[in-house]
Amino acid sequence: MKHLALASLVACMLVAGLQAQDPPPPSVDALHRAFDTVLDIYVRDGLVYYQALKQERPRFDRYVASLAGATLPESADRNQKLAFWLNAYNAFVLQTVIDNYPIQRRSTSFPAGSIRQIPGAFERRTFRAAGRTVTLDQIEKDIIVPLGDARAVLALGRGALGGGRLKSEACSAERIEAQLNAATQEVVDRREMVFVDRQNGILSVNPMFSWREAAFIEGFADKAAPVFASRSPLERSVLAIIAPLVVRSEAEFLEENRFKMEFHEFDWRLNDLTNRR
């Protein structure tokens, strides 16, 4: 019995030692490794354990504080800037939610518990990052969109079921291309983003595309198949993104070009995993 207990103790010590020495993924920029750990622990399939994060937030708070004094060197390329600002945006959304969690209902215009129940969550509440004072809307419109890759709009976790699905990993300069490709692929995998309604002849699309119409037109309008040439620039942009990704039967439906494109209502329900069944 003593030998068994000793063996168990040694095994536990070995496991603990391995865990303590297990380094973060090398592709994650040093600044964002703490955030990578937070996401790995508290995010599952785009949903967040907000209650648990609120109760155990010191590591997260230190990361958010570190963003204020962070610097992006003059030599920083687009990938480094995208990774930094996508992480900052997603972290500030999490901070906004847990600072107000559980979120009280103030308006009947949005679902109970929605981030939109927090006054000025996107347009007035300010944060510090890279020496700048910014709102969430300013990060998206004035910093991320001008970097010239509209796919980044699809990677923003807006604290809502209708937005980009938050990942269990931080964005990194090394992997940003693959991460943006994954966010784009998910557009056709989630009904909240795109729904091909063949029976009624409708292509129902997330309004995020229309919110950032100019960015999507600039990046994708000229990439649509010739069959869609008569459609509006925004419609061509959406089709350039989704047509190569949908299943064959849906692709054939789109190629007939007889459908009506509609932008459905955005789902502002909180992407909360707490007490979810």
Side-chain angles (χ1 to χ4, degrees):
M1 185 64 69
K2 289 181 179 179
H3 291 298
L4 181 59
L6 180 60
S8 298
L9 177 61
V10 171
C12 290
M13 292 174 66
L14 285 172
V15 171
L18 286 171
Q19 291 175 336
Q21 296 174 24
D22 188 23
S27 65
V28 177
D29 306 329
L31 173 65
H32 304 297
R33 288 177 184 170
F35 190 42
D36 188 71
T37 300
V38 167
L39 294 172
D40 183 54
I41 295 172
Y42 296 105
V43 177
R44 292 292 178 272
D45 296 323
L47 303 177
V48 184
Y49 289 106
Y50 285 113
Q51 184 176 30
L53 179 58
K54 183 180 180 72
Q55 293 172 347
E56 303 178 34
R57 60 185 293 174
R59 190 204 315 256
F60 175 67
D61 286 342
R62 288 194 296 271
Y63 169 71
V64 170
S66 73
L67 294 175
T71 57
L72 283 169
E74 291 292 329
S75 59
D77 61 21
R78 189 206 66 158
N79 288 353
Q80 290 173 303
K81 293 174 182 177
L82 275 174
F84 177 88
W85 287 108
L86 283 170
N87 285 331
Y89 183 101
N90 290 334
F92 294 149
V93 167
L94 294 180
Q95 184 187 46
T96 299
V97 173
I98 63 175
D99 280 352
N100 294 273
Y101 192 88
I103 299 172
Q104 301 301 309
R105 184 160 200 165
R106 297 176 174 86
S107 169
T108 58
S109 299
F110 298 101
S114 169
I115 189 173
R116 292 300 299 268
Q117 298 286 353
I118 302 170
F122 291 91
E123 68 277 6
R124 293 201 307 272
R125 180 177 170 128
T126 59
F127 309 89
R128 291 285 295 170
R132 302 173 64 168
T133 300
V134 288
T135 65
L136 289 170
D137 277 352
Q138 287 172 336
I139 293 175
E140 180 179 2
K141 293 188 294 185
D142 301 335
I143 300 175
I144 291 177
V145 167
L147 289 174
D149 195 329
R151 294 176 301 168
V153 173
L154 307 175
L156 295 173
R158 301 173 189 271
L161 293 178
R165 194 170 75 163
L166 188 63
K167 298 297 186 294
S168 298
E169 62 177 8
C171 294
S172 73
E174 284 186 29
R175 298 192 61 242
I176 194 66
E177 184 65 25
Q179 290 170 324
L180 293 180
N181 281 337
T184 305
Q185 175 64 55
E186 283 186 356
V187 167
V188 300
D189 296 334
R190 299 175 55 218
R191 190 180 180 122
E192 298 92 340
M193 302 297 286
V194 167
F195 176 56
V196 180
D197 185 354
R198 286 179 288 171
Q199 182 175 351
N200 295 303
I202 294 173
L203 175 62
S204 185
V205 179
N206 192 292
M208 285 193 298
F209 289 99
S210 61
W211 295 350
R212 301 292 170 252
E213 178 175 354
F216 283 104
I217 289 175
E218 181 180 353
F220 293 97
D222 62 351
K223 295 180 173 63
V227 68
F228 303 124
S230 62
R231 290 188 171 266
S232 73
L234 179 57
E235 289 184 326
R236 294 201 306 272
S237 302
V238 173
L239 290 162
I241 292 171
I242 70 172
L245 301 175
V246 296
V247 297
R248 184 175 182 81
S249 60
E250 293 177 342
E252 292 172 350
F253 165 77
L254 294 178
E255 287 169 5
E256 292 176 0
N257 199 25
R258 299 174 183 170
F259 60 88
K260 177 182 179 182
M261 185 183 294
E262 297 180 347
F263 293 96
H264 54 245
E265 186 175 352
F266 190 86
D267 188 350
W268 280 110
R269 288 178 296 165
L270 188 67
N271 59 337
D272 193 1
L273 191 53
T274 307
N275 298 323
R276 194 178 181 88
R277 295 292 184 264

